[in-house]
Amino acid sequence: MSYSAQQTKASGTNFYMAFIMLPAEKRMALDAVYAFCRYTDDIVDEEPDPAKAADDLEAWRKEFAACCAGKPQHPITQDLYRFGFKNFQLPHEHFEAIIDGCEMDLRQSRYETFSDLTLYCERVASAVGLLCIEIFGYEHPDTRLYAYELGLALQLTNILRDIPKDAQRGRIYLPLEDLKRFGVTEEEILQQRPGGNFVELMKFEGGRAEEKYRAAQEIGRRIWTPNLYPAEVMGQIYHRILRRMTKTNYDVFAVRPRVSKIAKLHVALSLYLRTVVLGRMPWPNVASS
């Protein structure tokens, strides 16, 4: 098992369930992409000294450049070069966008508008989706738009789920213009004691995430190929997380929404059967094209 595969398996990430039914060549490349993303994120989130985190991130940026030049030194970039770059045409700019997105966390802890937040989501999530589809394989150019929209949906779900954890780091990803609109203060979120208007704010933001899931599905109906089933595994798992939040009236400070391993495995296996074995679309009541 490669170093990156060990990291993916040990993390318990939702990505692992999406990858398990893939051929080894694709799975190893995706493990390397995931490990790259996780390591980049950890540089920023796990280092308490912002100055050191910035230095470490710059060193990682240089290590990625070395990987692109065929001279990787780190176990993750070695896997990325061996399993990713040699076997698939992975655009370097998407990796650079991921680093840029994580760097944003070192420079700002607030987002004034949803447009500002969208740029962050594009870098840390949509860029990942755009890398993954290169490994999955696709023909229709709108597949890139599908990956983009689904990436936004997943990241918006993450943001809503992780509000308590981000608050502990002094971060608020919810747009400040929305906080003002619903009468929620930054202090209420940072102290994890939001008022009643917080629920309405969360319903509003949850609606935005739902719009992105719907947008991805609408595109998916046009461009669907069984190669994309791992993306839909991710989409359905995270969509379940969003729906769990709605069932608890978005009480994310009291209950962290989760999907059990058994439920994740059920999603992965049922989608594999439906899309790969039976050749149908992943969404009910839609004829296969």
Side-chain angles (χ1 to χ4, degrees):
M1 182 180 291
S2 70
Y3 178 87
S4 295
Q6 293 175 29
Q7 300 302 303
T8 305
K9 185 175 182 179
S11 70
T13 176
N14 293 322
F15 277 83
Y16 182 73
M17 288 299 180
F19 299 166
I20 57 174
M21 300 298 289
L22 287 171
E25 181 181 65
K26 292 184 177 183
R27 190 172 64 250
M28 289 188 292
L30 287 161
D31 284 337
V33 169
Y34 170 78
F36 175 92
C37 296
R38 180 63 179 265
Y39 187 82
T40 307
D41 191 56
D42 285 349
I43 288 174
V44 174
D45 284 349
E46 302 303 323
E47 174 51 60
D49 181 356
K52 186 176 187 306
D55 289 343
D56 290 346
L57 193 62
E58 182 59 28
W60 184 237
R61 193 185 293 274
K62 291 178 180 177
E63 172 59 26
F64 176 68
C67 177
C68 294
K71 300 179 180 179
Q73 299 298 313
H74 193 279
I76 291 175
T77 50
Q78 288 174 348
D79 285 345
L80 187 60
Y81 181 74
R82 178 183 177 189
F83 303 123
F85 291 169
K86 282 190 173 183
N87 296 329
F88 301 93
Q89 299 299 314
L90 301 182
H92 297 176
E93 62 265 26
H94 296 324
F95 290 99
E96 292 163 357
I98 292 165
I99 297 174
D100 291 341
C102 290
E103 188 176 36
M104 290 174 72
D105 281 330
L106 295 176
R107 294 188 282 103
Q108 64 185 101
S109 59
R110 304 288 189 277
Y111 293 85
E112 185 63 37
T113 68
F114 183 66
S115 178
D116 296 335
L117 179 63
T118 298
L119 174 61
Y120 174 78
C121 295
E122 288 172 348
R123 289 176 171 175
V124 301
S126 292
V128 181
L130 290 167
L131 286 169
C132 289
I133 61 172
E134 296 296 332
I135 299 171
F136 298 155
Y138 67 96
E139 295 182 2
H140 200 295
D142 281 355
T143 305
R144 292 189 288 272
L145 185 56
Y146 165 81
Y148 171 86
E149 295 288 352
L150 186 58
L152 294 181
L154 302 188
Q155 187 60 28
L156 291 173
T157 301
N158 266 337
I159 286 171
L160 297 179
R161 179 192 63 186
D162 292 342
I163 286 175
K165 183 173 69 174
D166 292 327
Q168 291 174 356
R169 295 188 172 111
R171 298 176 188 166
I172 299 175
Y173 289 98
L174 300 178
L176 297 183
E177 65 178 5
D178 295 342
L179 266 67
K180 295 174 184 176
R181 174 179 176 180
F182 289 93
V184 177
T185 68
E186 295 178 38
E187 289 73 20
E188 286 176 328
I189 292 179
L190 293 176
Q191 294 173 8
Q192 303 194 27
R193 295 178 180 177
N197 290 340
F198 177 77
V199 175
E200 297 306 312
L201 169 64
M202 291 291 281
K203 288 179 179 178
F204 177 74
E205 304 298 351
R208 280 176 159 164
E210 286 285 0
E211 288 176 3
K212 295 303 177 182
Y213 284 112
R214 286 195 297 269
Q217 182 175 326
E218 289 172 4
I219 299 165
R221 293 182 189 279
R222 302 197 312 267
I223 56 87
W224 183 257
T225 168
N227 287 348
L228 296 176
Y229 94 89
E232 196 56 31
V233 171
M234 290 294 298
Q236 292 201 16
I237 289 174
Y238 273 84
H239 206 175
R240 286 190 179 199
I241 292 173
L242 181 62
R243 288 171 175 169
R244 296 264 170 107
M245 283 188 274
T246 63
K247 288 181 178 179
T248 62
N249 210 25
Y250 288 100
D251 192 7
V252 293
F253 293 104
V255 181
R256 179 175 171 82
R258 299 179 182 275
V259 176
S260 70
K261 289 184 178 179
I262 293 176
K264 292 175 186 177
L265 184 60
H266 173 75
V267 170
L269 294 178
S270 61
L271 278 174
Y272 182 84
L273 176 63
R274 181 178 181 86
T275 63
V276 178
V277 178
L278 300 179
R280 300 174 182 171
M281 284 192 178
W283 310 284
N285 304 321
V286 177
S288 180
S289 61

